[in-house]
Amino acid sequence: MAVCVGTEEKHKTKKEKMEAKVTELSKMSEEMVVPILSRLSPKSLMRFKCVHKSWYNMINNPSFVDKHIMTCKRNNHSTSILCKRFILRDVSTEEKEIVYSLITFYNDNSGDEHITVEDIDIPISMGITTRGQFVGDELQGVLHIDRGHCHGIICLSDPWKIILWNPAIKEFKVLPQSCIPDANFNSVGLGYDPKSKDYKVVSIRQDEIGNEDDRIVIYPPRVEVYTLGTNSWREIRTDILEREVTNFWPEFFQLYFKGICYWMGREQRKEFLTLYAIVAGEDEWVRYVIIFFDTTNEVFDHILLPYSLYEQDAQYSDMHIVVWKETLALFGLYRIGGTDAYGLWVMDNLGSGKVSWTKQVTLEAVVGIKKDLEFWNSDEILMIATDGRIASYNISTKKINYLSIESMYPENTEAVDGGSVGNYTNFSLFSIAIDQP
């Protein structure tokens, strides 16, 4: 009889063994189950939601979601970057296609690294067109990956539609229409309010140019905030974005970091004598600035760039905000009276009201590189070459590693990484499709 039992045990399927373990877990108290489940991947937890109604409620609970995020951050040994690239789908017809690829860099305890690339399937119901966006070699309107993300939720947008997408659990949400639809779409940002424990989307909109007393007037930005918990938009005051003779414009969303959303923006004159002065750009832009938004208090403010970038002979392009060694930094290509170089300036005294900058890194421009896509892991830059190859450049060793993927349109290729929250696509458990409590 003992032999028969042993044989029976030996031939138990993996599924049966898993079911037995789940049955065992279901008998345990919530205090004992939470530490165990918080270590699992979102994919596994989605299956466990079906075990019991109490488990479903527990896994959807914001407190459990927060704990799961923190546990994954502590145990994370990989970094993922989501990259939107362009490929030739059919050589015979020259049909092109947009592909969203997940590039994951793994580090084991020995310091060895390996890389995987996975193309992500876009649900048809998301309404994102990946083919037919090309007329000849010209790329027509495509949803952009807004540079920042929040807790694994990615924001995709175009002038008509905003989508929240969680690739880890394959959920997405098309947001309701704007509450100020008469204004033009300008920029969008995504963040998390740590006080209300709710996600917010900030949409910057612009009214048409006006005429007042023979002057051309550019009105200040109008801002609306979408709250996931209420699934609705509301317009907020933007007094701080308007001064006596200038307006502040949040233009390119960068990232969410510790309760604050950051944009690269500009300070702009708001009155002109003629329309030609605006078209010709006569003194239109006063200076580039960083504009930030407190997700709890819902107020804006701005930070000046490093003083050297305001010098008369300073030129720079695609400056963006990154998280470097757990603090904010400014990174990009610049030139001040010499050759092109990459610079990294670290923001000091953040939150004190007296922000200053310390330059930490200067790098020569990399030959053959079209543009940098994303700064990640404190010492690596994801770049794309003029021939479309995607590579990672190490600023310490100055070595470049070409990956096994490429893109036909380097200038339109986009990427977003896990930033301060690590491997976002692997641990983001938060459900954006269900009604929030």
Side-chain angles (χ1 to χ4, degrees):
M1 180 64 72
V3 174
C4 292
V5 172
T7 305
E8 186 179 338
E9 286 291 327
K10 186 177 179 180
H11 288 87
K12 273 189 176 180
T13 64
K14 287 184 178 180
K15 183 180 178 181
E16 289 173 330
K17 289 180 180 178
M18 179 59 72
E19 287 175 350
K21 288 181 180 179
V22 169
T23 302
E24 237 179 86
L25 278 172
S26 64
K27 296 176 182 177
M28 297 169 63
S29 66
E30 185 173 312
E31 289 75 14
M32 297 176 69
V33 170
V34 167
I36 298 172
L37 295 186
S38 64
R39 294 176 177 272
L40 300 180
S41 69
K43 186 176 180 180
S44 297
L45 286 171
M46 291 304 100
R47 293 198 299 266
F48 284 144
K49 275 186 175 183
C50 304
V51 172
H52 196 276
K53 186 177 179 180
S54 63
W55 281 28
Y56 178 89
N57 293 333
M58 179 182 64
I59 293 171
N60 283 334
N61 189 292
S63 297
F64 178 82
V65 174
D66 288 344
K67 182 177 179 61
H68 186 257
I69 289 174
M70 295 306 298
T71 302
C72 290
K73 284 175 64 176
R74 288 194 300 269
N75 299 331
N76 184 42
H77 298 291
S78 63
T79 298
S80 291
I81 296 177
L82 182 69
C83 180
K84 185 183 76 179
R85 60 194 184 95
F86 306 86
I87 65 171
L88 192 63
R89 173 57 66 187
D90 191 319
V91 177
S92 60
T93 62
E94 295 190 352
E95 182 185 11
K96 307 174 186 74
E97 183 175 2
I98 301 167
V99 175
Y100 292 85
S101 300
L102 184 65
I103 308 169
T104 303
F105 301 82
Y106 296 93
N107 291 291
D108 59 27
N109 294 329
S110 65
D112 292 334
E113 181 183 270
H114 65 280
I115 301 167
T116 62
V117 179
E118 175 190 1
D119 292 341
I120 298 177
D121 292 328
I122 305 294
I124 296 175
S125 52
M126 275 181 72
I128 297 178
T129 303
T130 58
R131 300 190 191 186
Q133 300 281 15
F134 300 88
V135 178
D137 284 335
E138 292 296 320
L139 177 65
Q140 305 302 307
V142 174
L143 280 164
H144 292 285
I145 302 176
D146 294 292
R147 194 175 204 110
H149 69 89
C150 186
H151 299 171
I153 300 172
I154 297 165
C155 191
L156 304 173
S157 67
D158 65 16
W160 305 276
K161 179 167 52 181
I162 299 175
I163 297 175
L164 296 182
W165 181 31
N166 187 337
I169 58 176
K170 296 180 172 56
E171 285 187 356
F172 71 92
K173 187 180 190 71
V174 180
L175 302 195
Q177 288 188 342
S178 165
C179 67
I180 42 177
D182 53 321
N184 297 319
F185 179 82
N186 189 277
S187 177
V188 66
L190 170 66
Y192 179 75
D193 178 356
K195 185 176 181 180
S196 66
K197 296 188 181 298
D198 207 347
Y199 291 84
K200 295 180 178 180
V201 177
V202 184
S203 176
I204 315 298
R205 294 188 169 264
Q206 180 178 12
D207 280 326
E208 297 291 340
I209 295 172
N211 290 278
E212 296 180 9
D213 301 325
D214 297 324
R215 292 170 295 127
I216 306 296
V217 178
I218 298 179
Y219 298 116
R222 294 178 68 182
V223 178
E224 57 182 345
V225 175
Y226 167 85
T227 304
L228 185 60
T230 62
N231 190 34
S232 61
W233 293 96
R234 54 193 165 78
E235 188 170 4
I236 64 170
R237 295 177 63 91
T238 58
D239 299 344
I240 296 177
L241 295 179
E242 182 179 12
R243 288 191 170 181
E244 187 175 353
V245 296
T246 61
N247 294 320
F248 287 97
W249 285 94
E251 283 197 303
F252 304 105
F253 183 58
Q254 300 294 295
L255 54 79
Y256 164 83
F257 184 66
K258 296 183 178 180
I260 308 292
C261 292
Y262 293 87
W263 284 260
M264 292 300 298
R266 305 195 217 193
E267 185 180 11
Q268 177 193 31
R269 281 177 55 198
K270 61 182 180 180
E271 291 187 7
F272 298 85
L273 294 178
T274 66
L275 187 61
Y276 174 79
I278 299 176
V279 176
E282 294 179 6
D283 253 344
E284 180 185 357
W285 303 113
V286 176
R287 57 186 174 182
Y288 287 90
V289 295
I290 293 170
I291 298 174
F292 62 91
F293 176 79
D294 186 313
T295 58
T296 297
N297 300 324
E298 296 189 346
V299 293
F300 287 92
D301 209 335
H302 73 282
I303 300 169
L304 297 181
L305 303 185
Y307 290 125
S308 60
L309 296 179
Y310 292 120
E311 292 178 10
Q312 189 171 2
D313 59 346
Q315 300 176 25
Y316 49 90
S317 62
D318 197 27
M319 282 286 170
H320 44 269
I321 305 166
V322 299
V323 175
W324 191 75
K325 297 184 177 179
E326 293 305 311
T327 189
L328 290 182
L330 185 69
F331 176 79
L333 192 66
Y334 76 102
R335 175 191 294 178
I336 302 179
T339 58
D340 290 344
Y342 286 103
L344 178 74
W345 293 263
V346 173
M347 194 183 296
D348 300 317
N349 305 316
L350 181 62
S352 67
K354 297 180 180 179
V355 172
S356 59
W357 297 93
T358 301
K359 194 173 187 182
Q360 294 284 352
V361 176
T362 302
L363 297 169
E364 292 181 1
V366 184
V367 177
I369 293 299
K370 179 70 176 179
K371 71 173 184 178
D372 62 288
L373 296 174
E374 192 61 68
F375 195 99
W376 66 279
N377 204 30
S378 295
D379 61 356
E380 293 276 348
I381 310 170
L382 193 73
M383 296 178 160
I384 185 163
T386 52
D387 62 6
R389 290 184 297 166
I390 295 176
S392 187
Y393 179 78
N394 188 288
I395 65 175
S396 300
T397 64
K398 294 182 171 55
K399 289 183 178 180
I400 189 164
N401 177 25
Y402 285 95
L403 310 184
S404 58
I405 58 172
E406 58 187 30
S407 179
M408 294 180 64
Y409 293 81
E411 64 278 5
N412 291 311
T413 301
E414 300 173 354
V416 59
D417 84 320
S420 63
V421 293
N423 189 358
Y424 68 88
T425 48
N426 282 349
F427 73 62
S428 179
L429 179 63
F430 190 83
S431 175
I432 54 178
I434 64 172
D435 294 330
Q436 302 306 318

